[in-house]
Amino acid sequence: MQLYNTLSAEERAIMIDDAGKQRLTLSFYAYAQISNPTQFRNELFLAWNKLEVLGRIYVANEGINAQLSLPADNFYAFKDSIEDYDFMKGIRLNIAVEQDDHSFLKLTVKVRDKIVADGLVDETFDVTNIGIHLKAKEFNDLLEDPNTIVVDMRNHYESEIGHFTNAIKPDVDTFRESLPIIEDQLSAHKQDKKLLMYCTGGIRCEKASAYFKHKGFENVYQLEGGIIEYTRQVKAEGLESKFIGKNFVFDHRLGERITDDIVSQCHQCGAPCDVHTNCANEGCHLLFIQCESCKSKMEGCCSDECVSIIHLPEDEQKAVRRGIKNGNKIFKKGKSDVLTFKNNIETHGIFIAEEKKSVVAKAPKIKKIFIGKGTHFYPKASVAEFEIEENEIKIGDTIVIKGSTTGEEKMILSQMFVNENTAQKAIAGDICTFKVPFRIRLSDKLYKVLG
């Protein structure tokens, strides 16, 4: 009994091409009480493998979250297979805006603690007390209300290529990071404003809306079916799309076009571009935005170092990769010191082709050593908190705080608190706090200037 994928992506791609069948890409989710997720997972794999379903599916005690593709001919058989389960009868299937036969090349069904990593303890609040669902027209109407605050519940690399106009877009790597940040930023408007949320397919808003209601927000709304269903309704009903740019998707496409607006720029040169790619170096795979010119020049890589690595013999490339742990060290999402343009300038809004862009002069390199990383996000400027990971800093040192959004800020350390007490020096293991005239992010790093 086969319970796991046995073909490589390359073999599967050839099979898809040889079959010559049109495939549908779709997604769905459902919250439900599943007593035996492993058994449920195995049942799905056996049923869907026979239907040539490919995709990435997470199941947990709390439900299912699925993004997948299948031959269009098998759609109704697939629909029957999920409706064998009462909690998925009549479920909404979000059909992708743009279709690609190679959107998924493996069938992966995994058992997880949660279908979305939200960092919440569900037992502490009522997860069924969710916000009001809005269809596309209702969502558009509420966007025009001056008492509405619209929040993008996705990560920075998703919202940078497309978003709703005037949306708050938290600079976060993960969904769980955004929840406390949004609560802090909007704490003064729990009663007087309407909190309007959206995400890709609706699943993140489902849990977030219940969380924010638990935290005292009185007027909570969410976009039903997310950006995918919104786009379908906009086209079907002839509505104006208030979403501009591309919708980031978690398959080989990495995005689907919603409007012709280009709202982002190449991370390497600054040219208008909204095409994500993964670095061609197998030991890097950094996700970033790269234009065709830079793709050709950099051979699909994020840095000169990665270009040199991909030209090594395969056994030497494997030797370089050996020992590198998976996770944030490899699969970073658009935040790296090697992305020259992204680290030099922060841009927002729609790119206007006729607009002349000033040349950003590169500042001379500062000789510095790494000290630590940010440990707290403060929505207002004035406070920075860092964990000292190596080396030390003391009063009078010149320090640099650097991050993809913060940029590179240099200052002299005149006063600081170490482990909540006034101190002259901080060493590895200490938590150091001091005043700054700007905001820091969790992704920011602290350096000490040498010489």
Side-chain angles (χ1 to χ4, degrees):
M1 183 169 58
Q2 181 186 335
L3 289 173
Y4 296 92
N5 184 83
T6 58
L7 295 176
S8 69
E10 292 76 13
E11 291 171 324
R12 184 70 69 175
I14 292 170
M15 288 181 64
I16 290 172
D17 291 339
D18 289 345
K21 294 180 181 178
Q22 180 188 357
R23 297 182 68 88
L24 287 176
T25 299
L26 57 88
S27 61
F28 65 91
Y29 69 90
Y31 281 101
Q33 291 298 315
I34 299 174
S35 58
N36 191 334
T38 300
Q39 179 182 332
F40 178 56
R41 177 259 171 220
N42 292 343
E43 290 172 1
L44 292 180
F45 189 95
L46 290 172
W48 291 354
N49 193 41
K50 289 187 289 187
L51 296 175
E52 301 175 66
V53 173
L54 303 172
R56 186 185 303 111
I57 299 93
Y58 299 136
V59 299
N61 287 116
E62 66 174 0
I64 180 171
N65 180 15
Q67 297 90 37
L68 53 86
S69 80
L70 73 159
D73 293 347
N74 293 346
F75 176 76
Y76 290 105
F78 169 77
K79 202 165 182 294
D80 290 342
S81 76
I82 62 176
E83 293 197 345
D84 282 343
Y85 302 91
D86 288 340
F87 73 90
M88 289 195 283
K89 287 186 184 297
I91 194 171
R92 181 186 60 249
L93 301 176
N94 290 326
I95 307 297
V97 176
E98 296 177 345
Q99 296 296 331
D100 183 339
D101 289 345
H102 292 177
S103 58
F104 291 100
L105 295 173
K106 289 185 179 181
L107 175 58
T108 305
V109 188
K110 293 185 177 181
V111 176
R112 291 282 179 88
D113 292 333
K114 289 195 170 190
I115 54 177
V116 175
D118 52 36
L120 299 175
V121 181
D122 293 356
E123 293 74 20
T124 61
F125 66 102
D126 183 0
V127 296
T128 67
N129 184 23
I130 59 177
I132 298 171
H133 285 80
L134 298 178
K135 296 190 181 299
K137 187 179 185 308
E138 298 169 318
F139 192 87
N140 279 0
D141 291 342
L142 204 56
L143 283 175
E144 302 301 318
D145 187 333
N147 287 318
T148 293
I149 298 176
V150 59
V151 179
D152 194 321
M153 297 306 301
R154 302 171 303 155
N155 304 323
H156 72 89
Y157 53 91
E158 299 173 81
S159 61
E160 71 179 333
I161 61 169
H163 49 79
F164 279 96
T165 51
N166 300 320
I168 293 174
K169 305 181 291 295
D171 179 33
V172 295
D173 293 328
T174 62
F175 173 54
R176 70 171 66 197
E177 287 179 65
S178 66
L179 297 173
I181 291 172
I182 292 167
E183 185 194 355
D184 287 344
Q185 288 185 332
L186 304 182
S187 59
H189 301 293
K190 292 184 176 182
Q191 287 78 41
D192 65 330
K193 298 288 185 181
K194 294 169 181 152
L195 177 59
L196 181 58
M197 297 180 296
Y198 69 90
C199 57
T200 306
I203 187 170
R204 283 175 273 192
C205 294
E206 202 79 4
K207 186 69 71 72
S209 67
Y211 172 79
F212 287 127
K213 289 184 74 172
H214 168 68
K215 287 294 185 175
F217 287 86
E218 295 182 358
N219 305 294
V220 181
Y221 301 84
Q222 61 195 91
L223 179 58
E224 185 179 70
I227 299 162
I228 299 172
E229 176 63 13
Y230 172 88
T231 303
R232 188 196 68 77
Q233 292 179 19
V234 163
K235 290 181 177 179
E237 300 172 27
L239 304 175
E240 177 190 359
S241 178
K242 300 286 188 179
F243 185 95
I244 54 175
K246 289 174 75 174
N247 179 30
F248 185 94
V249 292
F250 293 87
D251 58 53
H252 286 275
R253 297 171 298 155
L254 295 177
E256 48 188 16
R257 174 70 56 197
I258 307 299
T259 70
D260 292 332
D261 304 289
I262 306 295
V263 301
S264 52
Q265 293 162 289
C266 173
H267 287 168
Q268 292 177 316
C269 74
C273 180
D274 56 10
V275 179
H276 273 108
T277 188
N278 286 107
C279 178
N281 175 14
E282 294 291 341
C284 177
H285 271 195
L286 174 73
L287 178 74
F288 67 109
I289 296 175
Q290 187 178 50
C291 69
E292 283 299 320
S293 176
C294 288
K295 182 178 181 179
S296 175
K297 176 184 174 184
M298 299 296 295
E299 300 183 63
C301 292
C302 67
S303 65
D304 291 332
E305 180 182 1
C306 285
V307 172
S308 65
I309 289 174
I310 67 171
H311 287 290
L312 294 173
E314 188 174 345
D315 58 340
E316 290 186 36
Q317 290 188 48
K318 289 180 179 178
V320 171
R321 295 198 298 269
R322 193 171 297 124
I324 298 178
K325 294 180 181 179
N326 288 336
N328 290 337
K329 191 169 182 181
I330 300 178
F331 299 103
K332 296 177 183 176
K333 307 288 197 303
K335 288 186 176 180
S336 171
D337 292 343
V338 303
L339 299 175
T340 51
F341 179 80
K342 188 174 175 68
N343 283 331
N344 276 304
I345 188 168
E346 182 183 359
T347 54
H348 295 286
I350 306 172
F351 177 81
I352 302 172
E354 293 76 23
E355 180 181 333
K356 291 185 178 179
K357 296 205 171 283
S358 57
V359 177
V360 181
K362 289 187 178 180
K365 283 193 174 182
I366 301 171
K367 203 170 183 180
K368 56 188 185 293
I369 57 172
F370 175 76
I371 299 295
K373 295 179 182 177
T375 56
H376 200 290
F377 177 94
Y378 291 92
K380 295 181 180 179
S382 70
V383 180
E385 184 180 283
F386 287 88
E387 180 180 3
I388 310 303
E389 295 188 359
E390 54 188 79
N391 300 306
E392 64 178 42
I393 52 173
K394 62 182 183 298
I395 299 300
D397 282 343
T398 299
I399 59 173
V400 169
I401 297 174
K402 186 176 180 180
S404 58
T405 299
T406 304
E408 187 167 330
E409 298 285 349
K410 184 178 176 183
M411 58 180 285
I412 296 174
L413 199 58
S414 59
Q415 184 182 20
M416 65 178 173
F417 290 87
V418 177
N419 303 325
E420 300 184 349
N421 296 309
T422 304
Q424 295 290 311
K425 184 171 72 172
I427 61 175
D430 287 340
I431 299 296
C432 181
T433 307
F434 47 88
K435 291 184 178 181
V436 291
F438 49 86
R439 289 165 52 190
I440 78 156
R441 274 77 174 175
L442 285 171
S443 55
D444 288 353
K445 296 178 181 179
L446 176 66
Y447 300 85
K448 180 169 74 173
V449 176
L450 300 176

